[in-house]
């Protein structure tokens, strides 16, 4: 990817990772990008680096604009290795004595990653750094997405360098939101649901804080995906909605099946939910990736989960999914559990326990069927779905 001058004197020198398909458990069929930004002024600043393995490409991109040795300082907004993996190599190339600005936690975390002495310059929340006619302001954004995370705001250009915030796992030749249009929103939503949902309360506070500070923002430059320049408020508004976890009249029936019995139940329950006018989607765990399901969970009101009983417990795909969902802490959901069993039938109880621990309100008792449901039982599943549908509407 050639460097792109995003505004006079500021370049995206990052790289596209076209081939990554799994980003720590999140499916990325469209790849991702690791954005890094070069700001030219009396001093030259590099904001963030890229994943290890892409260092040469980053250095090549920088060299298309300026000799890397001329970089005066580096800002590390976030320690996670997709942004810092090439930091040691880049510092070696530009000069290890050059100042490396990061949050206080960033200094600790970078040391714990790289175990080498660099010229760390930890900054406080709100601290400014002038590089000529331009001034950076550092904003602590703990847990968006790690304890070390910060944003860097450039007031003269009204640009927010937002690290993981407002990002999308998307590799493309488009570099700006106006070049891709609405098609970017599902990627932004998936990113929020799988990376940031857990921190939704902190993001709401952060949006309030940025609003109170009255920062003028013309452009948001995240470290993944496209830059928001046409309408930065669109993604900020979406983050507000997603952080409040506002739900739609929508239900998901998430399940796996051994001999199709739990599948038959899932389809009958989904039909019953649909009969109440609720948008419902059966999601078979061996068809849908956990991260695509979580994207749907973000704005669903009901999460109905089904598992056959295997070896006195959950089917393994359900254990995987429930662990993943529990970690992301979805809010404002109702749910129910169902499943077929042969002789012991523990899975439904386990699902109910997990859903309760997540904070999902159970609106119907668990529904268990021994072996294969007959027509009468499928009618009962349908009615069970209708009750859930009414609860969604209620
Ligand atoms: Fe893109 Fe939390 O790293």
């Amino acid at each position: 990817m050639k460097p792109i001058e995003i505004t006079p004197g500021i370049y995206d020198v990052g790289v596209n990772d076209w081939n990554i398909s799994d980003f720590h458990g999140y499916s990325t069929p469209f790849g991702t990008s690791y954005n890094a930004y070069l700001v030219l002024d009396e001093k030259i600043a590099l904001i963030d680096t890229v994943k290890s393995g892409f260092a040469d490409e980053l250095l090549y991109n920088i060299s298309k604009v300026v000799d890397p040795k001329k970089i005066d300082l580096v800002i590390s907004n976030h320690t996670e290795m997709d942004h810092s993996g090439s930091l040691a190599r880049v510092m070696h190339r530009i000069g290890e004595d050059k100042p490396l600005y990061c949050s206080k936690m960033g200094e600790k975390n970078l040391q714990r990653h790289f175990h080498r002495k660099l010229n760390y310059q930890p900054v406080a929340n709100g601290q400014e750094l002038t590089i000529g006619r331009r001034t950076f302001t550092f904003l602590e954004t703990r847990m968006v997405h790690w304890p070390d995370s910060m944003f860097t705001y450039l007031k003269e250009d009204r640009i927010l360098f937002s690290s993981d915030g407002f990002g999308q796992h998307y590799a493309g030749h488009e570099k700006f939101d106006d070049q891709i249009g609405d098609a970017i929103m599902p990627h932004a939503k998936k990113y929020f649901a799988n990376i940031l949902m857990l921190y939704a309360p902190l993001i709401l506070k952060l949006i309030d804080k940025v609003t109170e500070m009255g920062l003028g923002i013309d452009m948001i430059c995240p470290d993944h995906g496209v830059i928001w320049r046409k309408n930065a408020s669109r993604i900020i508004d979406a983050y507000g909605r997603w952080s409040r976890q506002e739900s739609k009249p929508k239900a998901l029936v998430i399940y796996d099946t051994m001999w199709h019995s739990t599948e038959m139940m899932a389809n009958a329950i989904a039909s019953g939910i649909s009969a109440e006018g609720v948008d419902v989607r059966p999601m078979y765990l061996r068809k849908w990736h956990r991260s695509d399901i979580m994207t749907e969970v973000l704005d669903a009101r009901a999460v109905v989960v089904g598992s056959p009983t295997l070896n006195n417990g959950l089917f393994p795909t359900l254990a995987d999914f429930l662990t993943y969902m529990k970690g992301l802490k979805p809010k404002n959901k109702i749910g129910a559990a169902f499943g077929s069993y042969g002789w012991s039938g523990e899975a439904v109880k386990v699902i109910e326990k997990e859903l309760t621990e997540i904070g999902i309100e159970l609106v119907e008792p668990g529904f268990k069927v021994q072996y294969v449901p007959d027509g009468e039982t499928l009618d009962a599943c349908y009615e069970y779905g209708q009750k859930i549908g009414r609860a969604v509407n209620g």
Side-chain angles (χ1 to χ4, degrees):
M1 193 162 82
K2 283 190 173 168
I4 294 165
E5 189 168 27
I6 60 176
T7 198
I10 303 181
Y11 295 81
D12 178 8
V13 289
V15 303
N16 273 333
D17 186 349
W18 298 98
N19 291 336
I20 188 169
S21 57
D22 184 307
F23 189 97
H24 60 50
Y26 166 152
S27 72
T28 53
F30 291 83
T32 192
S33 70
Y34 313 115
N35 303 341
Y37 300 96
L38 196 62
V39 182
L40 307 187
D41 209 293
E42 286 169 25
K43 288 185 178 169
I44 298 174
L46 175 66
I47 303 178
D48 289 321
T49 67
V50 298
K51 192 174 167 182
S52 166
F54 292 87
D56 286 342
E57 200 178 332
L58 170 69
L59 289 164
Y60 171 81
N61 288 344
I62 293 170
S63 69
K64 288 286 185 190
V65 182
V66 67
D67 179 347
K69 287 193 165 46
K70 291 195 170 152
I71 292 173
D72 295 290
L73 60 107
V74 175
I75 296 168
S76 170
N77 278 329
H78 180 24
T79 306
E80 195 166 8
M81 299 273 253
D82 47 335
H83 311 295
S84 72
S86 64
L87 184 65
R89 188 160 146 65
V90 169
M91 293 307 292
H92 182 69
R93 178 75 179 273
I94 69 173
E96 292 190 352
D97 56 334
K98 303 277 176 73
L100 173 57
Y101 293 88
C102 55
S103 65
K104 292 188 174 81
M105 188 65 82
E107 179 185 14
K108 287 187 185 145
N109 288 354
L110 287 169
Q111 281 173 342
R112 285 167 188 149
H113 276 73
F114 299 110
H115 311 288
R116 62 197 295 171
K117 221 170 163 24
L118 291 168
N119 182 11
Y120 293 106
Q121 298 290 326
V123 297
N125 183 43
Q127 188 173 323
E128 295 192 337
L129 172 69
T130 299
I131 59 165
R133 72 166 192 86
R134 291 179 162 105
T135 300
F136 295 119
T137 307
F138 302 110
L139 303 170
E140 206 172 67
T141 58
R142 278 177 172 242
M143 306 318 296
V144 184
H145 146 238
W146 275 12
D148 50 76
S149 295
M150 65 177 193
F151 289 177
T152 297
Y153 177 66
L154 185 48
K155 66 180 162 196
E156 291 78 10
D157 298 275
R158 296 162 63 92
I159 296 178
L160 186 67
F161 296 96
S162 61
S163 185
D164 278 341
F166 311 112
Q168 329 94 47
H169 281 318
Y170 178 79
H173 292 291
E174 311 92 336
K175 200 61 245 174
F176 299 99
D177 57 337
D178 49 287
Q179 293 171 333
I180 187 168
D182 290 346
I184 199 60
M185 292 309 287
H187 300 289
K189 180 181 174 191
K190 182 171 179 178
Y191 191 92
F192 183 94
N194 287 277
I195 302 280
L196 298 174
M197 184 194 284
L198 167 62
Y199 308 114
L202 291 174
I203 291 169
L204 274 180
K205 281 190 192 150
L206 179 65
I207 292 172
D208 286 348
K209 190 167 96 180
V210 169
T211 308
E212 270 169 32
M213 289 170 78
L215 297 182
I217 298 174
D218 288 344
M219 208 183 290
I220 297 177
C221 294
D223 276 357
H224 298 290
V226 302
I227 292 165
W228 305 92
R229 74 170 173 190
K230 185 180 178 207
N231 192 356
S233 61
R234 181 178 189 195
I235 189 66
I236 296 173
D237 292 348
Y239 264 51
R241 277 197 311 283
W242 295 334
S243 297
R244 287 189 291 277
Q245 300 199 40
E246 294 171 2
S247 62
K248 297 177 179 171
K250 169 176 157 184
L252 307 174
V253 181
I254 301 158
Y255 72 97
D256 206 332
T257 194
M258 284 172 69
W259 296 106
H260 299 293
S261 293
T262 304
E263 179 184 18
M264 290 161 74
M265 295 177 76
N267 290 339
I269 291 168
S271 294
I273 295 173
S274 178
E276 297 299 316
V278 171
D279 175 18
V280 58
R281 179 172 299 172
M283 301 194 91
Y284 175 41
L285 275 163
R286 278 182 276 175
K287 173 182 172 189
W288 293 90
H289 193 270
R290 65 173 89 80
S291 55
D292 290 314
I293 298 177
M294 279 314 299
T295 309
E296 297 301 322
V297 167
L298 178 60
D299 58 9
R301 175 71 176 129
V303 177
V304 185
V305 179
S307 174
T309 294
L310 176 69
N311 301 332
N312 306 110
L314 287 177
F315 204 73
T317 49
L318 268 301
D320 173 296
F321 175 71
L322 288 168
T323 301
Y324 190 65
M325 180 163 70
K326 193 182 211 170
L328 288 165
K329 293 190 168 48
K331 300 264 187 303
N332 308 328
K333 311 289 177 207
I334 59 174
F338 66 96
S340 157
Y341 68 102
W343 50 97
S344 57
E346 290 91 341
V348 168
K349 276 271 168 275
V350 177
I351 296 171
E352 289 189 311
K353 180 171 175 287
E354 291 293 312
L355 294 181
T356 302
E357 285 178 7
I358 292 168
I360 294 175
E361 180 197 349
L362 300 175
V363 289
E364 286 297 320
F367 193 152
K368 287 200 296 191
V369 172
Q370 192 167 24
Y371 292 114
V372 179
D374 59 10
E376 200 175 306
T377 308
L378 290 176
D379 287 346
C381 286
Y382 181 90
E383 285 160 21
Y384 186 75
Q386 284 182 300
K387 287 183 201 159
I388 294 168
R390 287 195 285 273
V392 169
N393 289 326

